[in-house]
Amino acid sequence: MFAERLAEVIETRATRPGAIARAAANRRRPTAPPERLMIIAADHPARGALRAGEDPLAMGDRGDLLERMCAALARPGVDGVLGTPDVIEDLLLLGALDGKVVLGSMNRGGLAGAAFEIDDRFTGYTPAAIAASGLDGGKMLLRVDLDDPATARTLESCAHAVTGLAEHGLMAMVEPFLSTRGSGGRVRNVLTPEAMIQVMSIASGLGATSAHTWLKVPVVDRMEEVMAASTLPAVLLGGEVPADPDAALAGWAKALALPSVRGLVVGRTLLYPPDGDVAAAVDAAVGLL
């Protein structure tokens, strides 16, 4: 059944590309923003990050990814999706986004493993495109490497994006990390409470206004202290597929009790669970909200 729907998407893209804009214009938007957000993320492939668990190319099969996304979005309690234009448009053509919150991923230029990874150029959605497509906000990745001059360009670009989204009254979701390059040159995020407090303080001050800014943060030790670094609303990210899903759920549950934490934005952890049961993984996460 899904193979037929996927074939129709492929045919539509080749022969009727205008159908994408019509699907976006006709999408039924949420009647009111939910108090708690449960968002499924799928913007990793555009940065060349295809690994999930032990499979280095797990997210490289677009049909399989879309089928998992549709299964997740159909579960009760799932509010929406975060993705790059190609993924969002595939889901629009599949009719999977009616009534959902849709967030566009904006900067994917810092390709995974690249020498220029910290120079995270905006290669996806722009604030104007997000507004024109009727989306509900935009998300940007901000990795701050104090030893890499390219960090300044990424900071400036994120600040402009925050300002641009606010001008349209749209959410700007900033995902900040303090990052460093290890001995092999690989970018590594520093997941200590001190690092997160520092980088959340930086991210909170980006743009001409923070009125529409949300933060997207990992669960680390001493989350009470970490979340005290900002008054901005925040959502928790999923990160890599955990070896112990129950431990991940427990960490989310504890952090969700903090007043500024307003939901989950999770991708690979729910789309590629160790047992392969997407519906059960999503339902377990929804149950925390």
Side-chain angles (χ1 to χ4, degrees), residues 37-40 235-237 252 256 262-266 285-286 288-289:
L37 282 175
M38 178 68 234
I39 302 292
I40 305 297
V235 291
L236 307 175
L237 60 89
W252 292 340
L256 283 165
R262 299 290 168 152
L264 297 167
V265 178
V266 185
V286 168
L288 299 177
L289 303 177

mmCIF file of all heavy atoms in Angstrom, residues 37-40 235-237 252 256 262-266 285-286 288-289:
data_model
loop_
_atom_site.group_PDB
_atom_site.id
_atom_site.type_symbol
_atom_site.label_atom_id
_atom_site.label_comp_id
_atom_site.label_asym_id
_atom_site.label_seq_id
_atom_site.Cartn_x
_atom_site.Cartn_y
_atom_site.Cartn_z
ATOM 1 N N LEU A 37 4.461 19.953 23.221
ATOM 2 C CA LEU A 37 4.780 19.571 21.854
ATOM 3 C C LEU A 37 5.389 18.179 21.789
ATOM 4 O O LEU A 37 6.303 17.848 22.546
ATOM 5 C CB LEU A 37 5.775 20.565 21.244
ATOM 6 C CG LEU A 37 5.234 21.914 20.764
ATOM 7 C CD1 LEU A 37 6.398 22.791 20.322
ATOM 8 C CD2 LEU A 37 4.248 21.728 19.630
ATOM 9 N N MET A 38 4.890 17.371 20.876
ATOM 10 C CA MET A 38 5.515 16.091 20.542
ATOM 11 C C MET A 38 5.787 16.135 19.039
ATOM 12 O O MET A 38 4.879 15.976 18.219
ATOM 13 C CB MET A 38 4.571 14.935 20.889
ATOM 14 C CG MET A 38 5.128 13.555 20.538
ATOM 15 S SD MET A 38 6.545 13.076 21.536
ATOM 16 C CE MET A 38 7.741 12.688 20.262
ATOM 17 N N ILE A 39 7.034 16.409 18.692
ATOM 18 C CA ILE A 39 7.434 16.626 17.309
ATOM 19 C C ILE A 39 8.374 15.508 16.857
ATOM 20 O O ILE A 39 9.310 15.137 17.579
ATOM 21 C CB ILE A 39 8.148 17.986 17.145
ATOM 22 C CG1 ILE A 39 7.237 19.131 17.601
ATOM 23 C CG2 ILE A 39 8.622 18.195 15.708
ATOM 24 C CD1 ILE A 39 6.038 19.356 16.734
ATOM 25 N N ILE A 40 8.120 14.989 15.654
ATOM 26 C CA ILE A 40 8.995 13.982 15.058
ATOM 27 C C ILE A 40 9.978 14.688 14.120
ATOM 28 O O ILE A 40 9.562 15.436 13.233
ATOM 29 C CB ILE A 40 8.180 12.936 14.267
ATOM 30 C CG1 ILE A 40 7.104 12.300 15.164
ATOM 31 C CG2 ILE A 40 9.102 11.878 13.692
ATOM 32 C CD1 ILE A 40 7.641 11.524 16.343
ATOM 33 N N VAL A 235 12.374 22.492 24.371
ATOM 34 C CA VAL A 235 11.986 21.110 24.106
ATOM 35 C C VAL A 235 13.236 20.248 24.205
ATOM 36 O O VAL A 235 14.358 20.732 24.029
ATOM 37 C CB VAL A 235 11.337 20.958 22.711
ATOM 38 C CG1 VAL A 235 9.979 21.622 22.666
ATOM 39 C CG2 VAL A 235 12.248 21.518 21.619
ATOM 40 N N LEU A 236 13.022 18.975 24.485
ATOM 41 C CA LEU A 236 14.131 18.038 24.623
ATOM 42 C C LEU A 236 14.364 17.310 23.308
ATOM 43 O O LEU A 236 13.417 16.907 22.635
ATOM 44 C CB LEU A 236 13.830 17.020 25.723
ATOM 45 C CG LEU A 236 13.440 17.586 27.091
ATOM 46 C CD1 LEU A 236 13.047 16.440 28.024
ATOM 47 C CD2 LEU A 236 14.583 18.403 27.694
ATOM 48 N N LEU A 237 15.626 17.142 22.951
ATOM 49 C CA LEU A 237 15.943 16.389 21.737
ATOM 50 C C LEU A 237 16.247 14.933 22.077
ATOM 51 O O LEU A 237 16.505 14.580 23.231
ATOM 52 C CB LEU A 237 17.109 17.040 20.994
ATOM 53 C CG LEU A 237 18.455 17.164 21.714
ATOM 54 C CD1 LEU A 237 19.323 15.927 21.493
ATOM 55 C CD2 LEU A 237 19.214 18.399 21.222
ATOM 56 N N TRP A 252 13.984 11.762 29.970
ATOM 57 C CA TRP A 252 13.007 12.722 29.446
ATOM 58 C C TRP A 252 11.942 13.031 30.490
ATOM 59 O O TRP A 252 11.557 14.187 30.675
ATOM 60 C CB TRP A 252 12.339 12.174 28.187
ATOM 61 C CG TRP A 252 13.236 12.043 27.003
ATOM 62 C CD1 TRP A 252 14.422 12.681 26.799
ATOM 63 C CD2 TRP A 252 13.010 11.221 25.855
ATOM 64 N NE1 TRP A 252 14.958 12.294 25.594
ATOM 65 C CE2 TRP A 252 14.114 11.415 24.991
ATOM 66 C CE3 TRP A 252 11.999 10.348 25.474
ATOM 67 C CZ2 TRP A 252 14.212 10.758 23.765
ATOM 68 C CZ3 TRP A 252 12.096 9.691 24.258
ATOM 69 C CH2 TRP A 252 13.199 9.895 23.411
ATOM 70 N N LEU A 256 11.067 16.712 31.822
ATOM 71 C CA LEU A 256 9.772 17.286 31.453
ATOM 72 C C LEU A 256 9.027 17.871 32.644
ATOM 73 O O LEU A 256 8.077 18.636 32.472
ATOM 74 C CB LEU A 256 8.899 16.220 30.777
ATOM 75 C CG LEU A 256 9.241 15.907 29.319
ATOM 76 C CD1 LEU A 256 8.585 14.607 28.874
ATOM 77 C CD2 LEU A 256 8.811 17.067 28.404
ATOM 78 N N ARG A 262 8.821 22.109 27.528
ATOM 79 C CA ARG A 262 7.475 22.074 26.970
ATOM 80 C C ARG A 262 7.236 20.940 25.987
ATOM 81 O O ARG A 262 6.210 20.940 25.301
ATOM 82 C CB ARG A 262 7.182 23.407 26.281
ATOM 83 C CG ARG A 262 7.231 24.606 27.227
ATOM 84 C CD ARG A 262 6.066 24.586 28.186
ATOM 85 N NE ARG A 262 6.203 25.530 29.279
ATOM 86 C CZ ARG A 262 5.178 26.087 29.910
ATOM 87 N NH1 ARG A 262 3.956 25.813 29.519
ATOM 88 N NH2 ARG A 262 5.377 26.908 30.917
ATOM 89 N N GLY A 263 8.151 19.986 25.910
ATOM 90 C CA GLY A 263 7.877 18.873 25.014
ATOM 91 C C GLY A 263 9.124 18.191 24.512
ATOM 92 O O GLY A 263 10.235 18.393 25.025
ATOM 93 N N LEU A 264 8.917 17.376 23.469
ATOM 94 C CA LEU A 264 9.983 16.552 22.886
ATOM 95 C C LEU A 264 10.047 16.782 21.389
ATOM 96 O O LEU A 264 9.014 16.892 20.720
ATOM 97 C CB LEU A 264 9.701 15.065 23.137
ATOM 98 C CG LEU A 264 9.657 14.575 24.586
ATOM 99 C CD1 LEU A 264 9.068 13.170 24.634
ATOM 100 C CD2 LEU A 264 11.046 14.581 25.201
ATOM 101 N N VAL A 265 11.259 16.846 20.863
ATOM 102 C CA VAL A 265 11.485 16.828 19.425
ATOM 103 C C VAL A 265 12.487 15.706 19.174
ATOM 104 O O VAL A 265 13.673 15.859 19.433
ATOM 105 C CB VAL A 265 12.017 18.171 18.896
ATOM 106 C CG1 VAL A 265 12.291 18.076 17.396
ATOM 107 C CG2 VAL A 265 11.023 19.291 19.165
ATOM 108 N N VAL A 266 11.990 14.578 18.674
ATOM 109 C CA VAL A 266 12.788 13.357 18.628
ATOM 110 C C VAL A 266 12.719 12.750 17.236
ATOM 111 O O VAL A 266 11.647 12.707 16.620
ATOM 112 C CB VAL A 266 12.302 12.339 19.683
ATOM 113 C CG1 VAL A 266 13.225 11.124 19.709
ATOM 114 C CG2 VAL A 266 12.232 12.978 21.064
ATOM 115 N N ALA A 285 6.820 7.609 24.253
ATOM 116 C CA ALA A 285 7.247 8.997 24.416
ATOM 117 C C ALA A 285 6.043 9.908 24.649
ATOM 118 O O ALA A 285 6.083 10.797 25.514
ATOM 119 C CB ALA A 285 8.022 9.446 23.168
ATOM 120 N N VAL A 286 4.978 9.704 23.901
ATOM 121 C CA VAL A 286 3.766 10.506 24.066
ATOM 122 C C VAL A 286 3.231 10.351 25.490
ATOM 123 O O VAL A 286 2.737 11.308 26.094
ATOM 124 C CB VAL A 286 2.690 10.104 23.039
ATOM 125 C CG1 VAL A 286 1.344 10.726 23.383
ATOM 126 C CG2 VAL A 286 3.116 10.528 21.646
ATOM 127 N N LEU A 288 4.724 10.243 28.159
ATOM 128 C CA LEU A 288 5.413 11.098 29.122
ATOM 129 C C LEU A 288 4.792 12.492 29.195
ATOM 130 O O LEU A 288 4.956 13.195 30.187
ATOM 131 C CB LEU A 288 6.887 11.248 28.721
ATOM 132 C CG LEU A 288 7.719 9.963 28.662
ATOM 133 C CD1 LEU A 288 9.122 10.296 28.187
ATOM 134 C CD2 LEU A 288 7.744 9.270 30.018
ATOM 135 N N LEU A 289 4.065 12.886 28.150
ATOM 136 C CA LEU A 289 3.494 14.222 28.097
ATOM 137 C C LEU A 289 2.099 14.277 28.706
ATOM 138 O O LEU A 289 1.525 15.355 28.763
ATOM 139 C CB LEU A 289 3.463 14.719 26.638
ATOM 140 C CG LEU A 289 4.800 14.741 25.918
ATOM 141 C CD1 LEU A 289 4.617 15.176 24.480
ATOM 142 C CD2 LEU A 289 5.762 15.690 26.624
#
